[in-house]
Amino acid sequence: AQSVTQLDSQVPVFEEAPVELRCNYSSSVSVYLFWYVQYPNQGLQLLLKYLSGSTLVKGINGFEAEFNKSQTSFHLRKPSVHISDTAEYFCAVSDRGGADGLTFGKGTHLIIQP
Amino acid sequence: EAQVTQNPRYLITVTGKKLTVTCSQNMNHEYMSWYRQDPGLGLRQIYYSMNVEVTDKGDVPEGYKVSRKEKRNFPLILESPSPNQTSLYFCASSLSQGLDEAFFGQGTRLTVV
């Protein structure tokens, strides 16, 4: 079984500053990795995913994430945040065998300060 | 437009009164699932279905039932709701389990008093 750790429950950042949201996973098998975003009063939507290939993955709204197998991490980054990026961000993992569905982290609330 | 539709969006009910939250998707997805979202706990899977008439328990199935009689619908049933089932519920669907993008409904905020 896999697990996902998002170390920061809340990250306050000033507008136009860079941000990194951390995600570490634990799994005994190879995994697929995802970042989802939840805007206020909405469902989750996919930001980006890593299945294979290049370890740097680019997603929507200027976000990117880097898969690091040795550190079992999949941190999310954006070089310059906007007030509209205020949301809850969830890292998720599924194992490549497909035995389980998505396992989500507890989420990180990104707060953009003007 | 591809979407997952949940109803109702908001529901307040009393302990023990049976309720059903409906979920419908228009993308012909085989895989559907239900999650509950609680502060500080993230999303936890309640039940999932890999195809019609195939359902299985997720991480927190106690107190819930589901059915998958048609591909597009996956209702969540609370036979006897209790206050600890007060939560935000999401239905999701995807082409496959764990590989493809999951599409989420808008959520159902349930309060059991």
Side-chain angles (χ1 to χ4, degrees), chain A residues 2 4 27 29-36 46 48-52 74 91-104, chain B residues 29-33 35 45 48-50 92-104:
Chain A
Q2 55 262 31
V4 179
S27 176
V29 298
S30 296
V31 296
Y32 300 124
L33 293 155
F34 306 80
W35 276 99
Y36 282 83
L46 183 69
L48 49 79
K49 64 181 178 182
Y50 172 79
L51 303 180
S52 66
F74 190 54
C91 182
V93 63
S94 69
D95 74 78
R96 289 183 177 232
D100 298 314
L102 288 171
T103 298
F104 285 88
Chain B
H29 286 166
E30 292 192 346
Y31 186 81
M32 297 186 74
S33 56
Y35 295 87
Q45 191 179 56
Y48 64 91
S49 169
M50 296 181 73
S93 75
S94 58
L95 271 174
S96 66
Q97 181 183 22
L99 170 61
D100 297 290
E101 175 182 0
F103 291 82
F104 284 79

Side-chain angles (χ1 to χ4, degrees), chain B residues 47-83:
Chain B
Y47 267 95
Y48 64 91
S49 169
M50 296 181 73
N51 213 325
V52 175
E53 301 291 4
V54 181
T55 64
D56 210 344
K57 295 177 181 179
D59 298 317
V60 288
E62 294 77 22
Y64 305 94
K65 283 174 57 178
V66 293
S67 70
R68 189 93 181 271
K69 294 189 173 74
E70 311 162 275
K71 200 170 191 179
R72 63 183 291 124
N73 297 322
F74 190 46
L76 179 70
I77 302 153
L78 284 72
E79 293 271 2
S80 183
S82 62

